[in-house]
Structures are given as C-alpha cells and as structure tokens.
Amino acid sequence: QVQLVESGGGSVQPGGSLSLSCEASGDISRLNTMGWYRQAPGKQREWVAGITSGGYTNHADSVKGRFTISRGNAKNTVYLQMNSLKVEDTGVYYCKLDQSLTAYWGKGTLVTVSS
C-alpha cells in the first residue's frame, strides 16, 4: 500500500504564490509517475501537472508558465510551486501516484485565491 499526504494549501490574493508538497510512503516502486490534480467547487477534477520517476514533466495549458512540478531528492516527494495565482486556481489540490497499473490518491489540500 501507498499513502500520500499533501501539505501547503492556504489562502492567497490574486498574483500571489503558494507551494504544495506531497510525501509518499509505503511500498513505492522505483518506476512511477506522480502528479497534481485539482477540483474546483461544482466542477470535475482536472489534471494540473505530472512528473515521471525519470524527471520528465508536463503541465496543463492553464497553468503552464505559472506552476512548476518537481521531485525531491528522495524521489518520494513531489512539489508544486504555484506563482501568479488566479481566482480560477481555487480548489482542492490532490496528489496522485501511479505505479504498477494502480493509482493512489491523497486526501487533498485546499487552495483559495481571493481578494
């Protein structure tokens, strides 16, 4: 089993920055993909960014140039640096880990962007 714990959410004004962290523990494979998703109130969950165990990254067009996903040295931690935040970035942000055809999810952390 794999457990994921997110941290770093909070409230910020438009144009501000936040950094999210996700730490994975348990039976983690060397080969995996980690990513961030978000769910705004009344909307479906959407993919934000992903990173492979080899370090390849990809970001949704809506956050490209503003958000950056990265991994820690221990490879079991993933970060999401969010800059130039907009009101529409508000939502619950979830961490996901994919390995061996199985997906694991964290419980989420709330990000609120409001003036």
Side-chain angles (χ1 to χ4, degrees), residues 7-27:
S7 61
S11 296
V12 66
Q13 292 186 339
S17 298
L18 280 175
S19 181
L20 305 183
S21 300
C22 172
E23 183 171 355
S25 60
D27 189 15

Side-chain angles (χ1 to χ4, degrees), residues 42-110:
K43 295 188 177 181
Q44 289 189 331
R45 191 174 299 188
E46 64 174 358
W47 172 76
V48 174
I51 184 167
T52 68
S53 49
Y56 175 80
T57 64
N58 202 2
H59 299 77
D61 288 342
S62 60
V63 306
K64 204 166 287 185
R66 300 188 298 121
F67 292 10
T68 303
I69 190 171
S70 63
R71 281 204 189 231
N73 291 333
K75 305 293 184 183
N76 66 331
T77 303
V78 64
Y79 305 100
L80 186 68
Q81 178 64 41
M82 305 186 294
N83 299 326
S84 302
L85 282 160
K86 304 176 181 180
V87 172
E88 51 264 41
D89 294 318
T90 293
V92 178
Y93 283 68
Y94 297 91
C95 178
K96 182 187 179 190
L97 185 148
D98 289 281
Q99 64 179 33
S100 305
L101 302 179
T102 302
Y104 301 90
W105 292 89
K107 293 183 178 180
T109 184
L110 178 62

Side-chain angles (χ1 to χ4, degrees), residues 32-45:
N32 61 61
T33 297
M34 296 187 75
W36 288 96
Y37 289 69
R38 67 186 180 189
Q39 187 165 17
K43 295 188 177 181
Q44 289 189 331
R45 191 174 299 188

